[in-house]
Amino acid sequence: MNEYLMIINKQHNLVGEYKYSEEDGCYIGDIINISDLISFEGDTESGVIREFNEAVDDYVAFCAEIGKAVPYLWMPYFNQNGRFCGILSLQ
C-alpha cells in the first residue's frame, strides 16, 4: 500500500495524509493544510491516527502559547450531515 490516505480532525479543521512506508516499517504522515511542517508516525493504522490527533492538539496548543494563529492554507468543508465535501481555499 503506497497510496496516501486522508484523515481529518474536525475540532481544529486540520487535515493529514499518511501512508505505510516499507522502508521505515511504519505509517508516516504530515498535516497538509498548514504552512508549517508537522509530521507524525505510528506502527499501526490506528496508531498513526492517534498520533495525528496528538500532533494536532500539540500544534494548536503551541500556536496558542506563542500567540500565533494556525496558518491554514485551506479548510475542509463539511455538509450539514458532517460529511467531508471538499476544500475552501483561503488564498
Side-chain angles (χ1 to χ4, degrees):
M1 177 178 108
N2 285 333
E3 295 180 11
Y4 279 96
L5 301 171
M6 187 177 2
I7 183 170
I8 300 171
N9 180 298
K10 288 184 182 179
Q11 180 181 357
H12 298 295
N13 290 314
L14 289 169
V15 179
E17 65 179 12
Y18 67 94
K19 71 174 184 173
Y20 186 76
S21 169
E22 296 281 341
E23 182 179 330
D24 297 318
C26 65
Y27 289 88
I28 58 171
D30 298 297
I31 298 174
I32 61 172
N33 66 324
I34 55 174
S35 58
D36 294 325
L37 177 61
I38 305 295
S39 299
F40 52 93
E41 66 180 58
D43 293 332
T44 63
E45 194 162 6
S46 62
V48 77
I49 292 168
R50 183 177 52 257
E51 292 297 323
F52 163 72
N53 285 303
E54 287 182 18
V56 165
D57 290 343
D58 290 347
Y59 178 69
V60 170
F62 173 74
C63 287
E65 183 179 310
I66 65 170
K68 170 184 174 177
V70 175
Y72 293 102
L73 300 173
W74 52 270
M75 299 282 278
Y77 170 72
F78 303 95
N79 69 14
Q80 62 192 15
N81 298 323
R83 294 190 63 145
F84 176 72
C85 293
I87 61 171
L88 299 173
S89 177
L90 300 177
Q91 298 185 12

